[in-house]
Amino acid sequence: VQLQASGGGLVQAGGSLRLSCVASGRTFSSYTIGWFRQAPGKDREFVAAVSFNMFGGENTDYDDSVKDRFTISRDSAKNTVYLQMNSLIPEDTAVYYCAGSVLSGVSSSNQFASWGQGTLVTVSS
């Protein structure tokens, strides 16, 4: 699967942004799609992921630092995964990447084989 992320920009603290990750490929719906971010001078870190479970529903997973502020969702008809980011803080400033994995319930970057280009999110104080 090929992925393309967009939606980054400059926002004031307390504001919101929605990132989009558009995927190509007919197997998109079976992939776990995750969002990661990398701040200057820091390692890439997990933000959120959405995957299908064995009952036909979806599971979502969030890093504690974004739980209750960010929401990940998938629109399979549009081959798109969204990351709605609310109550942004300066510490959220980073390049955000979306990634795809054939594994379910994963959150480690080395478990994601497909990566899109990043989109920069800058939160001013």
Side-chain angles (χ1 to χ4, degrees):
V1 65
Q2 293 182 323
L3 304 169
Q4 184 168 359
S6 63
L10 173 64
V11 64
Q12 288 189 329
S16 298
L17 279 175
R18 188 177 77 162
L19 305 183
S20 299
C21 176
V22 179
S24 61
R26 292 185 293 178
T27 59
F28 166 75
S29 62
S30 65
Y31 271 68
T32 293
I33 302 296
W35 285 97
F36 293 79
R37 65 187 180 186
Q38 187 166 19
K42 295 188 177 182
D43 293 334
R44 189 171 299 185
E45 63 179 11
F46 171 76
V47 175
V50 58
S51 59
F52 283 101
N53 61 35
M54 60 182 293
F55 303 106
E58 285 193 331
N59 292 334
T60 57
D61 188 21
Y62 298 91
D63 183 78
D64 286 345
S65 65
V66 306
K67 200 171 292 184
D68 299 327
R69 298 190 298 122
F70 291 10
T71 302
I72 189 170
S73 61
R74 186 199 309 254
D75 185 337
S76 294
K78 296 182 178 180
N79 272 13
T80 302
V81 169
Y82 302 101
L83 184 68
Q84 177 67 44
M85 306 186 296
N86 299 328
S87 301
L88 285 161
I89 59 178
E91 290 76 13
D92 294 320
T93 294
V95 177
Y96 284 70
Y97 300 88
C98 63
S101 175
V102 297
L103 305 174
S104 181
V106 293
S107 60
S108 178
S109 61
N110 61 12
Q111 295 171 307
F112 288 77
S114 302
W115 290 83
Q117 89 294 353
T119 185
L120 176 63
V121 172
T122 304
V123 184
S124 63
S125 57

